[in-house]
Amino acid sequence: MNVHELALAGLNDHRLFTMLDLAGTFAFAISGAVAARDRGLDWFGVIVIAFTVACGGGVLRDLCIGAVPPAGLTDWRYLAVAMAAALMTMAANTLVVRLAHPVILFDSLGLGLFAVTGAQKAMIFGHNAEVAVLMGVLTAVGGGVTRDVLLNRVPVILQREIYASAALVGAGIEVAGERLGWLSNGRTWVALAACFTLRYLSMRYKWNLPRSSGRDGNDAD
């Protein structure tokens, strides 16, 4: 592969990363906006929650890997996408309600997208596989945890639901595929599909992780 082909491949990878990151931002923003709307927040509260959910995990990731200032705070596209998603949710309420389980759908999609892009960005900045996987999980769950805290709910990752573990699977596939030399586009879509499918099916069919038992043999609270 010559220099021109390498440059083209790098450009394509960058475009794919940006596309996936913005798609994850849009999906998580809708998830946050729907949750805020269901809580009865006003339009400003809906926008704030949407942006926090959409960019919170990415901001935490960038701070951890030294990518400062964080892209979510400096790139206007992230704010624009989050606001567009929030306004669309409020304006097209009927359309959003028609979607089956809208929060579950968009939350699952955002989880998969951010698990992949979080791991990718950590690797781009030269971090090892362990850090890349952890950053993928952090990017995926950070916004959701912030949403639940702001809306006075128990964070999903502290419950029995398959959430962080689904992000771990997606980030793990992305990192393992990169180390094994799999094609960039191929491993990205496989990782995204695995995370999304595991999360969505677990919610649809009530799959849960096993709970630990207390000393008296009863389930822990």
Side-chain angles (χ1 to χ4, degrees), residues 76-105:
W76 65 269
R77 292 176 295 181
Y78 290 90
L79 176 60
V81 167
M83 288 193 65
L87 293 174
M88 187 191 79
T89 301
M90 291 184 288
N93 182 58
T94 304
L95 175 62
V96 174
V97 170
R98 286 179 181 175
L99 293 172
H101 309 289
V103 174
I104 297 175
L105 175 64

Side-chain angles (χ1 to χ4, degrees), residues 8 33-34 51 86 120 151 210 220:
L8 183 60
V34 171
F51 177 76
Q120 286 179 344
L151 295 178

